[in-house]
């Protein structure tokens, strides 16, 4: 799974075609990344990657780097 | 403490960093003072407990948001029996301590409709207690002990007895009230008031956000009615279109709650309803309905 695939998910959820992923990207850097859009992101990630996140995993995703670490535990390797 | 709370919340869950600022903007300095007075006794000398509570709140809030999103599509709560909910939640010490109780406690301040319910309680129910010669209350389904504390804070003569089925809940409520120096006027009993009805009656009764946790709220309300002294007053509230891990009875409208209260023998004196947030279109949003009854 490519960086582009993941980046497109973020761009769609946050309605920002210029969004560029980096490991320390977090809610403080992205307009509209509140708890609702955090869940919207989760739902889209689950549908796109055909995976399920546990509440603990969702709560522990403070930035994109955390997300990528969790994706790796599910067999999805994304390099930024 | 609030600044420390805000920093910690932003570090743990950056997407929730705005929660304190939103409540501050909405409710002003009174809210700030109120929240500070709750945080300080519970967490000022225990930073680990604060971090644990915030992590619990984050999980609680994310769970609720995730379930709400599913509810917008399905318009039903996930099917679950009371026994299943009890096993997963009320009798699950880890879940109660790490997520549920801290979640409920902090939601009283960080969720608009929860704090508005507290304001309504203070403006409409509290005066009834303050002017009464007898100020004893029962609290059924105590959660974190929050509303028992609110009652006890109304005056030095207020005394209360809580009933709950959950050992983790009564343990936390005891800790909560001990931190505020209120244990000498409060006691609890682990009891299902429907299965084993108390013989006593109280002039005041509080039962906050219990009905949606039950398969048969009307039977529960009949039990509460028997616990309320004739002429007494109750503060009974329910969550509407608000899924949660242990919400099993779906109220689509506050009129359904009112109808059950009346069927159980209560007279509804006043009520208030509030939404958690404004819907973007016509999707259902979480609501709270609070009733003053006699």
């Amino acid at each position: 799974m490519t960086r582009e695939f993941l980046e497109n998910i973020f761009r769609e959820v946050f309605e920002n075609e210029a969004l560029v992923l980096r490991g320390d990207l977090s809610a403080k850097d992205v307009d509209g990344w509140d708890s609702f859009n955090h869940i919207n992101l989760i739902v889209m990630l689950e549908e796109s990657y055909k995976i399920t996140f546990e509440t603990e995993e969702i709560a522990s995703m403070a930035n994109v780097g955390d997300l990528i670490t969790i994706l790796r535990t599910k067999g999805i390797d994304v390099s930024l | 403490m609030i600044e420390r709370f805000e920093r910690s919340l932003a570090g743990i869950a950056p997407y929730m960093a705005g929660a304190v600022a939103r409540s501050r903007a909405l409710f002003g300095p009174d809210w700030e003072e109120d929240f500070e007075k709750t945080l300080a006794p519970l967490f000022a000398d225990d930073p680990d407990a604060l971090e644990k509570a915030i992590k619990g709140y984050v999980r609680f809030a994310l769970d609720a948001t995730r379930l709400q999103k599913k509810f917008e599509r399905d318009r039903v709560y996930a099917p679950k029996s009371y026994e299943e909910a009890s096993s997963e939640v009320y009798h699950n010490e880890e879940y109660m301590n790490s997520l549920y109780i801290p979640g409920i406690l902090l939601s009283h301040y960080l969720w608009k409709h929860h704090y508005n319910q507290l304001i309504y309680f203070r403006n409409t129910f509290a005066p009834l207690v303050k002017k009464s010669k007898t100020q004893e209350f029962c609290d059924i389904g105590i959660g974190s002990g929050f509303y028992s504390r609110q009652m006890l804070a109304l005056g030095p003569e207020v005394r209360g007895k809580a009933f709950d089925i959950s050992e983790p809940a009564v343990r936390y409520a005891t800790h909560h009230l001990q931190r505020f120096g209120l244990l000498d006027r409060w006691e609890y009993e682990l009891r299902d008031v429907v299965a084993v009805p108390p013989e006593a009656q109280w002039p005041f009764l509080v039962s906050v956000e219990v009905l949606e946790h039950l398969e048969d709220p009307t039977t529960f309300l009949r039990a509460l009615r028997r616990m309320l002294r004739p002429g007494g007053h109750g503060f009974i509230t329910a969550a509407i279109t608000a899924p949660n891990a242990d919400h099993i009875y779906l109220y689509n409208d506050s009129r359904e709650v009112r109808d059950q209260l009346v069927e159980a023998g209560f007279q509804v004196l006043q009520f208030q309803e509030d939404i958690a947030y404004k819907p973007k279109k016509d999707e259902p949003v979480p609501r709270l309905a609070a009733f003053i009854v006699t």
Side-chain angles (χ1 to χ4, degrees):
Chain A
M1 297 285 181
T2 64
R3 171 209 178 105
E4 192 183 351
F5 188 81
L6 182 61
E7 204 161 65
N8 283 340
I9 291 172
F10 271 78
R11 286 176 174 178
E12 185 170 340
V13 170
F14 298 110
E15 296 177 346
N16 180 355
E17 285 303 314
L19 193 151
V20 174
L21 292 185
R22 58 177 201 271
D24 65 348
L25 189 80
S26 76
K28 63 177 170 47
D29 308 305
V30 179
D31 278 345
W33 192 342
D34 55 16
S35 52
F36 292 108
N37 270 335
H38 191 74
I39 292 301
N40 284 334
L41 176 65
I42 293 301
V43 169
M44 189 162 284
L45 288 167
E46 288 182 330
E47 286 171 359
S48 302
Y49 286 114
K50 305 279 186 282
I51 56 175
T52 306
F53 291 107
E54 299 296 327
T55 302
E56 185 63 39
E57 291 171 327
I58 299 169
S60 67
M61 280 179 216
N63 58 39
V64 170
D66 291 338
L67 166 62
I68 287 174
T69 300
I70 292 167
L71 286 175
R72 204 167 284 135
T73 69
K74 299 180 186 297
I76 296 160
D77 211 354
V78 177
S79 300
L80 294 184
Chain B
M1 275 302 304
I2 291 186
E3 286 74 28
R4 201 191 329 168
F5 178 92
E6 219 171 346
R7 273 198 309 274
S8 192
L9 179 61
I12 290 166
Y15 43 85
M16 288 194 189
V20 171
R22 264 196 307 277
S23 291
R24 188 185 280 128
L26 200 53
F27 297 111
D30 286 348
W31 171 88
E32 197 149 3
E33 186 182 336
D34 197 4
F35 194 28
E36 181 74 31
K37 281 184 183 166
T38 283
L39 290 177
L42 287 172
F43 303 117
D45 63 348
D46 196 346
D48 287 344
L50 176 65
E51 184 174 330
K52 192 176 168 190
I54 291 172
K55 284 181 175 172
Y57 168 75
V58 168
R59 288 172 185 76
F60 182 77
L62 285 174
D63 246 7
T65 306
R66 192 175 192 181
L67 288 169
Q68 193 70 32
K69 193 156 178 69
K70 195 165 183 302
F71 181 76
E72 286 172 16
R73 187 186 67 222
D74 301 338
R75 305 292 173 114
V76 293
Y77 290 166
K80 193 175 282 186
S81 70
Y82 181 70
E83 280 68 36
E84 285 166 336
S86 294
S87 171
E88 282 173 32
V89 179
Y90 317 130
H91 303 303
N92 183 335
E93 182 124 22
E94 167 60 22
Y95 185 88
M96 287 288 277
N97 290 338
S98 68
L99 188 153
Y100 193 83
I101 294 176
I104 291 175
L105 177 67
L106 295 172
S107 76
H108 287 301
Y109 291 95
L110 299 179
W111 292 7
K112 170 181 92 69
H113 58 323
H114 281 205
Y115 196 70
N116 269 329
Q117 178 178 268
L118 177 59
I119 292 173
Y120 180 66
F121 167 88
R122 287 175 176 162
N123 288 345
T124 55
F125 193 72
L128 299 172
V129 180
K130 285 180 183 174
K131 73 180 185 191
S132 173
K133 287 197 178 74
T134 48
Q135 297 180 318
E136 285 134 13
F137 71 94
C138 56
D139 183 355
I140 303 96
I142 52 171
S144 66
F146 185 80
Y147 272 90
S148 271
R149 173 161 67 90
Q150 300 302 320
M151 287 291 286
L152 293 166
L154 296 179
E157 299 303 313
V158 178
R159 305 187 67 82
K161 181 164 184 174
F163 296 91
D164 206 292
I165 60 159
S166 166
E167 279 194 59
V170 298
R171 262 201 292 277
Y172 189 89
T174 302
H175 162 76
H176 183 171
L177 296 177
Q178 185 266 326
R179 281 280 173 147
F180 282 82
L182 297 169
L183 273 188
D184 60 330
R185 294 189 277 125
W186 182 87
E187 59 178 332
Y188 73 84
E189 193 175 328
L190 274 172
R191 183 198 277 234
D192 177 340
V193 300
V194 174
V196 188
E199 288 186 14
Q201 291 186 316
W202 285 264
F204 295 101
L205 179 149
V206 171
S207 188
V208 172
E209 295 173 67
V210 175
L211 302 181
E212 62 276 11
H213 298 244
L214 306 168
E215 289 175 7
D216 182 1
T218 306
T219 297
F220 174 76
L221 287 169
R222 288 200 182 98
L224 297 194
R225 183 66 190 88
R226 284 192 293 272
M227 294 170 71
L228 188 64
R229 195 178 288 175
H233 292 92
F235 184 76
I236 300 175
T237 85
I240 296 168
T241 57
N244 212 317
D246 57 345
H247 288 187
I248 59 178
Y249 191 96
L250 171 58
Y251 290 110
N252 282 299
D253 195 287
S254 60
R255 282 170 295 187
E256 296 171 32
V257 186
R258 177 188 285 265
D259 288 346
Q260 287 180 346
L261 286 163
V262 170
E263 189 181 339
F266 287 110
Q267 181 190 348
V268 174
L269 301 175
Q270 292 185 61
F271 98 107
Q272 172 182 277
E273 189 172 349
D274 193 22
I275 56 174
Y277 48 85
K278 210 168 148 191
K280 287 191 175 125
K281 293 177 190 167
D282 59 356
E283 75 277 15
V285 296
R287 289 181 276 156
L288 272 185
F291 296 83
I292 312 255
V293 297
T294 190

